[in-house]
Amino acid sequence: MAAVCILDEFEVHKNEKFLKIAEKLKPELHETYIKPKKLLKFEKHLKVERKPDMNQIEILEEDFEKLPEKKFKRDDQIVLDFGDHQVGYVTLDLSSAGSHQDAPAYLYLRFAERLEELGADPAEYDGWISKSWLQEEYIHVDVLPTRLCLPRRYAFRYMEIKVIDVSMKYSLVINDVQVKAVSAVSADQIPPLKMKDPLFRKIDRVAIRTLQNCMQDVFEDGPKRDRRLWIGDFRLQARANYLTFKNYNLVKRCLYLFGGMIFNEGKISACLFTEPLPEPDDTYLFDFALLYGSALLDYYEETGDRDTLRDLYPVAIRQIEIGLDYLNEDGVIPDRSSEFWCFVDWGEGLNTQAASLAVLIYSLRYGVRLARYMEDEERIQWMLEKEEELKKNAVEHFWDEEQQLFVSGSERQVSWATQIWMILARVFPKEKNRELILRTIDVNPRIQMVTPYMYHHYIDALIRSDEKERALEEIRRYWGEMVHDGADTFWEVYNPYNKYESPYGSVMVNSFCHAWSCTPTYFLRKFYENDL
């Protein structure tokens, strides 16, 4: 089981002004009614949890229009393919054939973002995250015909319907199924990517679909799981949004929600719940809190909204002050590898000490830029001095001259994440950063990147090291491979070396539409589209 960073004692200090601003910005969701495109029938149902194998599942395809012709008895099942990833509310029109219904129809419904999920048996789930995230329902239907409106919101492309039982005297008929898909945005007005390569155009479309389905009342991390507003995900979603949907109000709403619910000492929570009322989770992540200032700066530079900058500037600066309070007598962040207090990436065994310091340096650079917009000369000078001091400390304590790489922790671990964050922190000048990223690629550290979140920062580091062409090829290799593996939205976890990796003990609760994976559209549209 993974560690979690739960605050034992904390108070939430709510700024009602900020929360009222956020509430006024709550979006009215777009609604689109979608019907399935195809029927799929499993001839074999593989019961494998960790590594579903599609080669073991034989599928017969039929048009959806044929569904009302079918008569379902005990143990009959069908899978509906909606053609693309959907987030919304499902309605079924049901009736009976044969004699009058003399017993309830007992149904099992299951929703899956990927077809492979249906090859796994939920009864065998043994992950550490609650199995209540598995999208399955057992329903009794007492009276037919009926219009069955499922109350929960689902994230899925495939819907399995299995008849557990009816009576011998009648059959179940499924006349129609549809989903009311919901999102804060519509993709209709986004122009196609102006790149000739069809794979990059497909990557862009999948990234936009991922972002769209995660844009709900807030920028959710994943519409299947966790359905929360996380700072790390939100910051990347907002960047992609600026080049696609341009929904500035939703970004502003999320900034005010974080700024409106503060923990002790001014800390902000790593994530927020929005129902029944906005509430911070009792979780603090060192790096996520520091990145709030980056998200605020991006928003201000995109919109010029000075009122929001003025309101939230103190919140952003306070995260930097708190980060500096963690420095030890050597002027670095202590090694807290036994705790889950700094995320960085899901890589197993990843030591985050050096990356933590790098994120702090990175946040200082953004803090300086915020302070310049605020004409806060005292803080500008203070943060510039701290930035230079911490860069020297980073080299003194974590640079390994023999390996020509940064190390982390008492075991002097070498990881991709450490090198990438040191580059983004600009601990070295650009040319030496370029040498470092090329050295990292050549060495290929054992502690790999496993999330699109970390790969985003890798692409960012390559571009900022004047390795744009290599960055483009890495987008092709990483997100393109997900497309080749059937992604119609991008996934929470994708390790090319272990495609069934899960930080939760089972891929069944992995999110296959996840916010932090949407950023290829940001890179392609910002750095490559105009090069044509």
Side-chain angles (χ1 to χ4, degrees):
M1 175 175 171
V4 292
C5 186
I6 298 175
L7 301 174
D8 293 327
E9 295 182 9
F10 68 94
E11 297 174 0
V12 178
H13 304 279
K14 294 190 176 182
N15 184 316
E16 295 301 331
K17 173 192 169 184
F18 289 1
L19 294 179
K20 285 179 181 178
I21 292 173
E23 182 61 25
K24 289 180 180 178
L25 295 167
K26 186 175 181 178
E28 183 176 338
L29 299 183
H30 295 259
E31 298 178 355
T32 308
Y33 290 87
I34 307 292
K35 292 190 177 185
K37 302 296 187 293
K38 290 182 292 189
L39 307 179
L40 309 180
K41 175 71 174 178
F42 287 129
E43 293 297 322
K44 295 181 182 178
H45 201 283
L46 182 69
K47 293 185 177 180
V48 175
E49 179 183 355
R50 295 181 185 277
K51 296 186 178 181
D53 186 351
M54 281 301 298
N55 294 326
Q56 299 295 320
I57 302 175
E58 299 176 10
I59 301 172
L60 303 174
E61 295 189 4
E62 295 183 86
D63 292 334
F64 172 67
E65 287 74 15
K66 294 183 179 180
L67 182 60
E69 302 172 9
K70 298 183 178 297
K71 308 296 186 288
F72 292 89
K73 301 293 286 186
R74 178 192 293 178
D75 293 332
D76 287 342
Q77 69 183 67
I78 197 74
V79 173
L80 311 180
D81 179 0
F82 283 77
D84 199 356
H85 188 279
Q86 309 293 332
V87 177
Y89 301 87
V90 171
T91 299
L92 302 92
D93 285 327
L94 306 174
S95 63
S96 62
S99 299
H100 190 281
Q101 181 188 10
D102 62 335
Y106 187 21
L107 308 180
Y108 172 73
L109 308 179
R110 188 175 176 198
F111 300 86
E113 295 180 300
R114 298 196 68 210
L115 192 57
E116 287 89 333
E117 292 178 76
L118 299 180
D121 184 355
E124 297 178 4
Y125 172 74
D126 65 354
W128 63 269
I129 279 185
S130 173
K131 68 184 301 180
S132 63
W133 284 116
L134 300 178
Q135 300 183 109
E136 56 179 351
E137 309 289 347
Y138 292 87
I139 296 175
H140 288 83
V141 182
D142 293 314
V143 179
L144 295 169
T146 190
R147 185 174 175 82
L148 181 62
C149 300
L150 303 182
R152 297 190 67 218
R153 196 193 76 187
Y154 303 96
F156 67 103
R157 173 175 171 173
Y158 303 97
M159 176 183 178
E160 178 184 6
I161 305 173
K162 180 177 180 180
V163 177
I164 298 176
D165 211 351
V166 289
S167 79
M168 294 183 292
K169 299 181 67 175
Y170 78 96
S171 300
L172 178 72
V173 178
I174 306 170
N175 296 299
D176 195 18
V177 182
Q178 66 177 2
V179 57
K180 180 178 73 176
V182 293
S183 172
V185 291
S186 170
D188 293 344
Q189 303 304 314
I190 299 177
L193 181 72
K194 297 175 184 176
M195 293 181 72
K196 295 179 181 178
D197 191 315
L199 179 57
F200 287 126
R201 294 201 299 271
K202 180 63 180 292
I203 290 171
D204 181 70
R205 289 196 301 273
V206 173
I208 289 171
R209 184 66 172 179
T210 305
L211 178 60
Q212 178 183 10
N213 284 1
C214 291
M215 291 175 71
Q216 302 292 332
D217 286 345
V218 293
F219 284 93
E220 293 183 356
D221 62 328
K224 179 176 82 173
R225 202 221 81 243
D226 304 313
R227 305 184 181 185
R228 269 174 256 173
L229 172 62
W230 286 84
I231 299 177
D233 302 69
F234 156 61
R235 169 176 166 265
L236 302 191
Q237 288 170 288
R239 287 184 170 181
N241 168 65
Y242 298 144
L243 291 163
T244 53
F245 298 105
K246 301 185 184 298
N247 188 324
Y248 302 127
N249 281 345
L250 195 63
V251 180
K252 182 175 178 178
R253 168 172 161 78
C254 295
L255 287 169
Y256 271 101
L257 283 171
F258 278 117
M261 295 180 285
I262 302 297
F263 287 152
N264 303 11
E265 304 172 341
K267 290 179 179 177
I268 55 178
S269 175
C271 67
L272 305 176
F273 302 101
T274 59
E275 294 178 328
L277 294 172
E279 198 72 35
D281 189 12
D282 53 354
T283 300
Y284 172 76
L285 289 178
F286 180 81
D287 50 337
F288 277 23
L290 287 169
L291 293 173
Y292 178 81
S294 170
L296 177 60
L297 180 71
D298 289 346
Y299 171 78
Y300 176 70
E301 292 187 335
E302 181 69 22
T303 66
D305 181 352
R306 192 156 187 86
D307 289 340
T308 298
L309 175 64
R310 188 181 299 109
D311 281 346
L312 300 178
Y313 172 71
V315 178
I317 295 300
R318 182 61 188 138
Q319 306 318 303
I320 295 173
E321 294 171 345
I322 292 168
L324 292 168
D325 286 342
Y326 281 100
L327 295 172
N328 62 17
E329 62 276 8
D330 294 322
V332 298
I333 304 298
D335 185 3
R336 300 177 63 168
S337 56
S338 62
E339 302 175 45
F340 182 58
W341 81 297
C342 183
F343 173 69
V344 181
D345 195 20
W346 273 126
E348 186 174 353
L350 174 65
N351 184 288
T352 63
Q353 183 187 16
S356 299
L357 183 63
V359 175
L360 179 55
I361 298 169
Y362 180 91
S363 72
L364 280 164
R365 287 201 300 105
Y366 277 87
V368 168
R369 290 167 64 185
L370 285 169
R372 283 179 174 146
Y373 284 122
M374 290 295 296
E375 300 179 349
D376 187 350
E377 297 298 330
E378 183 178 346
R379 280 202 174 96
I380 292 171
Q381 190 59 37
W382 163 68
M383 285 188 284
L384 285 172
E385 291 173 0
K386 279 295 180 184
E387 181 185 352
E388 290 307 310
E389 176 188 331
L390 296 188
K391 285 180 180 180
K392 292 178 183 177
N393 295 347
V395 174
E396 179 182 349
H397 290 278
F398 299 120
W399 178 249
D400 187 304
E401 186 66 27
E402 182 178 347
Q403 297 187 76
Q404 290 290 293
L405 293 166
F406 284 97
V407 297
S408 184
S410 57
E411 71 273 30
R412 299 181 65 77
Q413 180 193 87
V414 175
S415 70
W416 279 85
T418 295
Q419 319 312 315
I420 289 165
W421 272 110
M422 288 293 182
I423 290 169
L424 292 176
R426 300 184 186 178
V427 172
F428 290 141
K430 181 180 284 189
E431 185 53 40
K432 191 168 179 64
N433 276 340
R434 181 174 177 273
E435 293 173 5
L436 176 56
I437 198 67
L438 295 178
R439 171 70 174 159
T440 305
I441 293 168
D442 183 56
V443 171
N444 190 15
R446 180 181 63 84
I447 305 296
Q448 297 283 330
M449 303 172 282
V450 299
T451 63
Y453 177 78
M454 194 64 241
Y455 267 86
H456 165 91
H457 294 101
Y458 173 43
I459 301 301
D460 197 6
L462 284 169
I463 291 172
R464 297 183 190 286
S465 301
D466 289 338
E467 286 289 332
K468 277 184 66 177
E469 290 307 309
R470 189 183 293 269
L472 188 62
E473 286 309 303
E474 288 296 298
I475 292 172
R476 179 196 298 275
R477 182 185 67 85
Y478 187 70
W479 281 274
E481 187 67 13
M482 266 193 272
V483 168
H484 292 318
D485 281 347
D488 50 16
T489 52
F490 288 127
W491 309 336
E492 174 186 17
V493 176
Y494 185 69
N495 182 354
Y497 305 98
N498 176 13
K499 294 186 179 182
Y500 297 101
E501 184 157 340
S502 174
Y504 313 114
S506 170
V507 295
M508 293 173 66
V509 290
N510 282 15
S511 170
F512 292 103
C513 174
H514 210 75
W516 65 28
S517 64
C518 73
T519 56
T521 190
Y522 162 76
F523 289 120
L524 295 174
R525 290 171 181 264
K526 183 175 179 66
F527 295 105
Y528 299 99
E529 187 174 40
N530 294 328
D531 289 350
L532 299 177

